Amino acid sequence: MIQQEAQYRAWMLAALAGDAAAYRMLLQGLTRHLRGYYAKRLGAAAAEDVVQETLIAIHAKRATYDPTRPFTAWVYGIARYKLMDEYRRGHRKATVPLEEAGELFGADEAEAAGTRRDVEKLLAKLPQAKRDLVRAIKLDGQSIADEAARTGMSETSVKVTVHRALKSLGEELGGSNADR
Amino acid sequence: MTALQSSDSSSETSANALDLMVDRLVADLRPVESPPVARRLALGLGVGIVISLAFVGILLGYRPDMASATMTMIFWVKLAYVSGIGAVALWAVERLVRPGVPTGNLLLWLLLPAAMMGGLAVMELIHGPANLREHLIMGFSAAAAPWRILAAALPPLVGLAWAVRGLAPTRLVFAGTMVGLAAGGFGAASYAMHCQESAAPFLLIWYGLGVLACGFVGAMLGPRVLRW
């Protein structure tokens, strides 16, 4: 996200100065993000038209980008506005929660950021000590021996703690699914 | 299977449409001159204020005691009150027309002109003779002032709306309200070139009401007029 901000901002600044190659990279990259963002909310077919409209808006309103501010926030502001406009026209529910720009840039084809966020949400349900262990071993790839040394626990109790934590998260997921 | 194929081919054609769109937009790229936002707002508001001043002069006439009035404190306090409100609202507009720029606590600055005029009004009411209190509040033109301010604010309202429409407001009711307040503030300053009222309670209430009415009009019109 931070790398994307730097990359897109650099393309945008070059484009504002008249660099067509940078502008092409910018628009092609944004097309990918926007397609994912709208497809998730409007369906793939409707998304294409809105992507097109949003690209035109980005082009027409590019002078309103203030180079001292984040580019991703600017693009997200436009994308969200066009989404609300689409809802209004379709007489659908016309409120879109004020999310962060991450909503747009998390919508890339891979959805990697979205997955990561879901995992973090789930992890937040664990107590601090267990959460740190699960994150270190299962997400960051630390060894059980290292974590045992760091926390002063035995290797066996690290293993048991992680196992129990994952089991309780599994039950959490199973439970919420059964509710539906 | 056929459904899969058809969805494949349709996403292919639309991908081509988007590629064509990117080509067209790239071909249309021109360097952007800086700073277009401030210039456009200044142009819209400036032309509006000039027209408003002209109308006030022609239809109502400037106050005949202008020269001596400018020597009094209340003349400038009156101007500071309404143009202060207008300036804070304009500041908010300048942010609202750029997507992704937060307005933060900027509107708290509106308390400053309101508190200044409010404090002065309370002092005049407390220290003034009791039999003059009604006059301090109603003046000579209480019934007319808010309406005339609304009328004097129309040219700046149109000018600012034109400017904002060409930029990119994403919160239309909020932007409309601020456009209305800004136009109301500067419109009231224009009307003050005619109006000879000089009691703080009158100015607080009736000028304030006129400016608020402009904000309300802006909020109503925003979603329709400022849409892009």
Side-chain angles (χ1 to χ4, degrees):
Chain A
M1 171 84 196
I2 291 170
Q3 277 174 351
Q4 282 180 332
E5 166 65 31
Q7 176 63 77
Y8 276 97
R9 190 168 168 279
W11 280 334
M12 182 64 171
L13 293 183
L16 288 176
D19 181 340
Y23 195 43
R24 178 176 296 278
M25 300 293 284
L26 178 88
L27 292 180
Q28 281 170 347
L30 289 179
T31 302
R32 232 170 349 111
H33 289 297
L34 291 169
R35 191 183 274 140
Y37 176 75
Y38 289 127
K40 205 159 107 187
R41 290 159 177 83
L42 301 167
E48 295 299 313
D49 286 345
V50 187
V51 172
Q52 197 154 348
E53 244 182 76
T54 306
L55 286 176
I56 294 171
I58 287 168
H59 180 72
K61 307 290 186 180
R62 63 192 191 279
T64 64
Y65 171 59
D66 175 352
T68 64
R69 295 193 173 265
F71 175 76
T72 48
W74 180 80
V75 163
Y76 178 66
I78 291 180
R80 178 176 172 275
Y81 176 80
K82 284 294 171 190
L83 179 64
M84 292 219 305
D85 208 42
E86 184 63 22
Y87 280 142
R88 254 196 307 265
R89 239 179 293 172
H91 304 292
R92 275 173 280 189
K93 194 167 135 261
T95 52
V96 179
L98 264 172
E99 303 139 338
E100 286 170 18
E103 277 298 312
L104 176 58
F105 287 85
D108 211 347
E109 326 277 70
E111 297 257 326
T115 308
R116 175 88 197 187
R117 215 181 37 244
D118 290 346
V119 169
E120 290 294 335
K121 240 186 246 170
L122 204 53
L123 279 179
K125 295 181 174 162
L126 290 174
Q128 176 79 43
K130 284 187 185 177
R131 191 191 319 158
D132 288 345
L133 272 184
V134 171
R135 184 180 288 136
I137 290 167
K138 294 293 173 188
L139 296 182
D140 301 341
Q142 300 291 331
S143 75
I144 289 174
D146 285 349
E147 282 307 298
R150 187 180 64 81
T151 55
M153 297 162 78
S154 73
E155 287 193 23
T156 317
S157 58
V158 167
K159 265 191 234 170
V160 169
T161 306
V162 170
H163 177 73
R164 281 188 187 150
L166 289 181
K167 200 175 162 200
S168 75
L169 287 183
E171 278 163 3
E172 184 85 33
L173 281 178
S176 63
N177 280 342
D179 284 345
R180 275 177 208 152
Chain B
M1 191 63 204
T2 38
L4 235 174
Q5 276 171 345
S6 74
S7 89
D8 253 38
S9 67
S10 84
S11 81
E12 208 165 274
T13 48
S14 56
N16 287 340
L18 286 175
D19 285 345
L20 283 177
M21 175 61 61
V22 168
D23 287 343
R24 274 179 41 204
L25 297 181
V26 168
D28 188 50
L29 181 68
R30 306 275 177 282
V32 167
E33 338 78 80
S34 59
V37 170
R39 212 177 36 204
R40 197 177 166 92
L41 291 177
L43 183 66
L45 182 63
V47 169
I49 290 177
V50 168
I51 293 174
S52 172
L53 280 171
F55 272 126
V56 168
I58 293 166
L59 298 178
L60 301 170
Y62 298 132
R63 51 193 295 179
D65 64 340
M66 185 72 84
S68 60
T70 57
M71 308 298 283
T72 63
M73 184 62 102
I74 193 66
F75 178 86
W76 298 107
V77 170
K78 192 200 307 196
L79 282 186
Y81 171 52
V82 285
S83 30
I85 295 172
V88 174
L90 186 63
W91 187 11
V93 168
E94 196 268 338
R95 289 177 167 230
L96 287 168
V97 296
R98 303 170 186 272
V101 178
T103 45
N105 295 326
L106 193 150
L107 292 187
L108 288 179
W109 287 101
L110 285 174
L111 293 175
L112 196 69
M116 175 193 72
M117 193 53 98
L120 201 59
V122 167
M123 269 178 33
E124 283 186 11
L125 286 175
I126 288 175
H127 295 296
N131 59 346
L132 269 184
R133 270 181 204 146
E134 196 191 334
H135 181 70
L136 285 175
I137 292 172
M138 300 306 287
F140 298 97
S141 57
W147 296 108
R148 289 176 174 175
I149 286 171
L150 199 55
L154 281 181
L157 187 68
V158 172
L160 262 186
W162 164 82
V164 168
R165 235 180 106 84
L167 299 166
T170 55
R171 299 154 78 184
L172 300 184
V173 175
F174 192 6
T177 309
M178 291 302 122
V179 163
L181 276 189
F186 292 112
S190 160
Y191 174 66
M193 297 300 110
H194 159 78
C195 165
Q196 302 186 38
E197 301 282 359
S198 62
F202 176 95
L203 298 173
L204 176 73
I205 295 168
W206 305 109
Y207 271 54
L209 203 61
V211 173
L212 284 180
C214 295
F216 183 72
V217 169
M220 293 289 103
L221 293 179
R224 261 163 270 172
V225 173
L226 301 180
R227 211 170 149 197
W228 48 279

